[in-house]
Amino acid sequence: MENNDILIRLRYALDIKNKDMVEIFKLGGVELTKEDVLKILTKSKEDIDDEEVVEDENHMKCNNKMLESFLNGLITHKRGKQDPKQGQPTNPEPAEQQKDHVNNILLKKLKVALQLTTEDMLEVLDDGGIIVSKGELGAILRKPGHRNYKECGDNFARKFLKGLAVKYRN
């Protein structure tokens, strides 16, 4: 699943307005205009050969760093600015080593931003049409490198976003 698609689905699920999207990106450390946000939120025209999507005047590709910055901004937007503890960095840099684990980062950061408990997340996943155990969810929320870590697939993330839409849009 592309980062642009994640943002489109997340925006719909949480009913975030365009002006709020600009503010959330800004809170995450990425300066974008309303027009840039609209370009990110347009579906890309994928080639038949599934080649790399090329940016044009109507579409802007969202990279992993932008997505993670948006999720950090969403946490700040939903929960408020938090003063860093002594020895903690003021602005956490996006985790470069976790490039391939975008879906895991998405679930972790949404859990924090929306203040979801494990039971809440299981309920959202059930609303999305997938039943998982606490152990499976715990494995997805672990740090990469942990012996029980499990990578979150696109279908799992898609179902979670669908469940969020059911929970927050009804």
Side-chain angles (χ1 to χ4, degrees):
M1 190 163 51
E2 299 229 349
N3 293 346
N4 294 57
D5 192 35
I6 291 172
L7 283 175
I8 291 167
R9 290 170 188 256
L10 190 57
R11 178 181 178 266
Y12 173 77
L14 300 178
D15 195 24
I16 303 172
K17 307 292 183 240
N18 291 338
K19 133 180 113 80
D20 293 334
M21 291 287 287
V22 172
E23 180 185 334
I24 291 169
F25 270 112
K26 187 175 184 179
L27 288 171
V30 176
E31 294 287 332
L32 292 176
T33 63
K34 188 175 177 181
E35 291 76 26
D36 290 338
V37 169
L38 290 173
K39 288 179 184 179
I40 289 172
L41 295 175
T42 22
K43 293 210 181 243
S44 62
K45 296 175 183 167
E46 296 179 2
D47 294 339
I48 297 170
D49 302 332
D50 285 335
E51 291 179 19
E52 191 68 27
V53 177
V54 182
E55 288 189 26
D56 61 19
E57 67 277 349
N58 298 324
H59 180 73
M60 181 188 290
K61 188 159 174 52
C62 177
N63 60 29
N64 291 349
K65 187 175 180 180
M66 282 175 68
L67 179 64
E68 191 166 351
S69 295
F70 175 82
L71 293 171
N72 288 336
L74 183 65
I75 292 170
T76 305
H77 180 75
K78 292 284 188 182
R79 298 189 65 165
K81 186 90 172 133
Q82 184 179 13
D83 295 326
K85 295 184 176 101
Q86 189 174 19
Q88 188 179 23
T90 53
N91 282 338
E93 287 296 315
E96 288 297 319
Q97 74 273 15
Q98 299 178 5
K99 289 179 185 172
D100 300 329
H101 310 291
V102 173
N103 295 334
N104 293 70
I105 293 169
L106 172 73
L107 276 123
K108 287 178 194 177
K109 295 209 182 251
L110 285 177
K111 181 179 183 191
V112 172
L114 303 175
Q115 300 178 19
L116 299 173
T117 63
T118 303
E119 287 76 22
D120 293 337
M121 290 188 76
L122 292 172
E123 186 179 308
V124 167
L125 286 164
D126 188 38
D127 289 344
I130 189 169
I131 298 172
V132 286
S133 68
K134 276 187 177 182
E136 287 175 291
L137 183 60
I140 288 171
L141 296 175
R142 293 192 187 281
K143 284 186 176 182
H146 189 279
R147 65 185 179 95
N148 292 333
Y149 172 78
K150 181 181 175 191
E151 192 170 332
C152 178
D154 285 346
N155 189 39
F156 195 92
R158 202 175 288 116
K159 298 279 187 182
F160 184 77
L161 292 171
K162 181 181 176 186
L164 279 179
V166 169
K167 181 174 180 168
Y168 288 98
R169 298 287 290 206
N170 291 338

